Amino acid sequence: MNYLAYDRRYIWHPYASLKDPPPVRLVKSAAGTELELADGSHLTDAVSSWWCVAHGHNHPKIVEAIRRQSEKLSHVMFGGFTHEPAVELAWRLAKMAPAGLDKVFFADSGSIAVEVAAKMCIQYQHAKGRPNRRKLLALKGGYHGDTACAMALSDPDGMHVLFAGMMPKHFFAAMPNGKLDDWDFEKELDAHQAEIAGVICEPIFQAANAMNFYDAEYLRRMRRACDAYDIPLVFDEIAAGLYRTGPRWAHERAGIKPDIMTVGKALTGGHITLAATLASEAVADVISSGTPSAFMHGPTYMANPLACAAANASLELFAQGGYEEKVAQIERVFKEEGIPQVLGAVGVIKVPCLPARADIERVIDEHRVWLRPFCNFIYAMPPLTTDEPALRRICAALKDLAACPPGPDLGEGDFHE
Ligand SMILES: *Cc1c(COP(=O)(O)O)cnc(C)c1O
């Protein structure tokens, strides 16, 4: 079978047109940081396959966990049943999460986990007798996913403008990147608190829309303001969590806790899709005392046992420790190599405009490093286990790409990640 020809004929790739689609490469297998292509060549995955492959591809412990689970129970509905991998995973997440954030709702992707978090905020306010609080306050420059509610909480001027007509309108505070004193967050919250059910942000690191690192003081201000109005604060740790920026949770830098937290991407170490929304005891208590007392969500594949088994093996690897050190090494190499914006295992070179597609492909081929620049960001977010020689090659590729002449404006198609 000519796979690439049939791919072109039948398949829509993410953020791609079916007319003259950008090239795709046929992957045969993967191990560690390396992808093996159909022609036998290798590429080092410098973007952790959209930031989820934390321990390297096809980690033997995770693969074995999935295999063993598949022999016992691949799936069962989660309404009316439970199973060992889900219970173990909830226990692990509760132990790893900030103290008190131990009520776990499983979701099948990050976007769904965000929708679940938003619904928790609404049900919380409803149970408290404030049904007019049914919008959220989010931050400009944020990204929370591609489903309708998650799009509506992402940067209103970003990649989802086309769908503005179908999205509920929420409130937005300025992107946390100017002068802290000028930030309008409290002003927005004061003005609209009667309608605001919850506040959501990506703590410390706004990833897919802005590649923006920001000060922990922003989070402390959000915490204080939310407390004043009894509004739950949601931290979306889907990209930044699980050591990507250094600490286990990015928000640890602020010394405060959210009321609700979303986890995804690296949760299964990039092996199968799974995400989770964690709520505090207080939030869970209020929702469960409301009418209805049930939390109103339940996806078909909720807590899929194979995904839970993968996540258990992934979290076991994180628990064995050493990840803060691994990330510190990546940060050190990125800085030594002169990458201008670095936080933990994230290195970004901002350019006025991306190079032409042909230049991007050439740099990938020359360095044997897989890069996926977007908007005006040339970046690496490699697996946390990437060794120093591979990190140096990744940096060389980043710098080479950044030195290419600007290409034509690629438009919406290349907006995403
Ligand atoms: C990727 C991402 C999501 C969406 O996760 P999916 O699994 O792609 O649905 C949500 N929030 C943040 C911060 C993300 O980076």
Side-chain angles (χ1 to χ4, degrees), residues 280-360:
S280 71
E281 176 101 45
V283 166
D285 255 11
V286 169
I287 291 174
S288 305
S289 314
T291 314
S293 68
F295 179 61
M296 300 302 282
H297 200 87
T300 309
Y301 280 97
M302 185 168 174
N304 173 260
L306 301 178
C308 289
N312 279 319
S314 170
L315 294 190
E316 174 69 29
L317 290 169
F318 280 122
Q320 284 165 9
Y323 279 78
E324 278 169 1
E325 293 73 20
K326 288 182 187 29
V327 171
Q329 154 161 295
I330 296 173
E331 184 174 82
R332 175 179 58 77
V333 173
F334 280 174
K335 285 183 172 161
E336 282 174 15
E337 293 283 345
I339 305 299
Q341 283 178 282
V342 178
L343 186 69
V346 185
V348 185
I349 306 179
K350 230 176 142 176
V351 290
C353 181
L354 285 190
R357 159 87 28 220
D359 277 330
I360 298 174

Side-chain angles (χ1 to χ4, degrees), residues 51 108-112 114 143-146 202 207-208 236-240 262 265 273 417:
W51 325 341
D108 11 357
S109 72
S111 303
I112 307 293
V114 166
Y143 176 85
H144 296 289
D146 273 7
E202 296 161 274
D236 180 353
E237 289 267 9
I238 289 168
T262 55
K265 289 203 162 94
T273 179
E417 297 171 82

Side-chain angles (χ1 to χ4, degrees), residues 52-53 56-59 62-63 65-67 69-70 73-74 89 107-110 263-276 301 303-312 314:
C52 59
V53 179
H57 285 274
N58 264 43
H59 192 285
I62 302 176
V63 171
I66 297 168
R67 194 190 61 74
Q69 183 58 41
S70 73
L73 175 69
S74 292
L89 180 55
D108 11 357
S109 72
V263 189
K265 289 203 162 94
L267 178 57
T268 67
H271 288 65
I272 318 187
T273 179
L274 184 69
Y301 280 97
N304 173 260
L306 301 178
C308 289
N312 279 319
S314 170

Side-chain angles (χ1 to χ4, degrees), residues 7 11 28 49 54 104 114 179 186 215 241 302 374 404 416:
D7 179 286
I11 300 181
K28 274 274 188 245
S49 283
V104 181
V114 166
K179 269 184 61 193
E186 291 86 350
D215 198 278
M302 185 168 174
F374 69 99
C404 291
H416 192 61

Side-chain angles (χ1 to χ4, degrees), residues 3 19 115 120 131 145 223 232 242 254 274 350 374 406:
Y3 286 97
K19 277 229 171 79
E115 307 235 350
M120 283 179 179
R223 180 69 276 173
L242 294 170
L274 184 69
K350 230 176 142 176
F374 69 99

Side-chain angles (χ1 to χ4, degrees), residues 75-252:
H75 188 66
V76 65
M77 63 190 285
F78 210 52
F81 290 107
T82 192
H83 47 77
E84 291 170 12
V87 177
E88 183 185 330
L89 180 55
W91 170 77
R92 282 181 187 280
L93 280 169
K95 267 200 323 183
M96 289 179 76
L101 232 66
D102 59 1
K103 306 298 178 220
V104 181
F105 192 98
F106 292 112
D108 11 357
S109 72
S111 303
I112 307 293
V114 166
E115 307 235 350
V116 165
K119 285 169 80 169
M120 283 179 179
C121 294
I122 306 290
Q123 275 198 240
Y124 177 88
Q125 300 295 353
H126 185 87
K128 286 236 168 168
R130 306 174 197 132
N132 289 334
R133 282 187 169 178
R134 51 189 170 211
K135 296 193 176 289
L136 274 80
L137 174 59
L139 304 188
K140 289 189 178 158
Y143 176 85
H144 296 289
D146 273 7
T147 57
C149 171
M151 283 197 292
L153 296 168
S154 304
D155 191 317
D157 306 312
M159 55 205 265
H160 299 129
V161 276
L162 179 65
F163 306 103
M166 70 174 258
M167 295 189 300
K169 283 251 177 293
H170 294 288
F171 298 105
F172 288 88
M175 191 168 150
N177 67 344
K179 269 184 61 193
L180 198 60
D181 288 343
D182 298 339
W183 198 38
D184 62 354
F185 180 81
E186 291 86 350
K187 228 174 74 206
E188 282 295 315
L189 196 66
D190 287 346
H192 305 293
Q193 57 85 15
E195 294 172 75
I196 291 175
V199 167
I200 186 167
C201 72
E202 296 161 274
I204 302 294
F205 172 37
Q206 292 186 301
N209 242 320
M211 287 287 173
N212 175 40
F213 305 129
Y214 64 93
D215 198 278
E217 183 58 24
Y218 286 97
L219 301 180
R220 288 189 284 270
R221 279 177 55 179
M222 294 168 85
R223 180 69 276 173
R224 282 193 295 272
C226 285
D227 284 344
Y229 287 119
D230 188 19
I231 289 174
L233 176 58
V234 182
F235 286 161
D236 180 353
E237 289 267 9
I238 289 168
L242 294 170
Y243 302 95
R244 177 52 65 184
T245 74
R248 180 187 294 162
W249 309 113
H251 75 262
E252 283 173 30

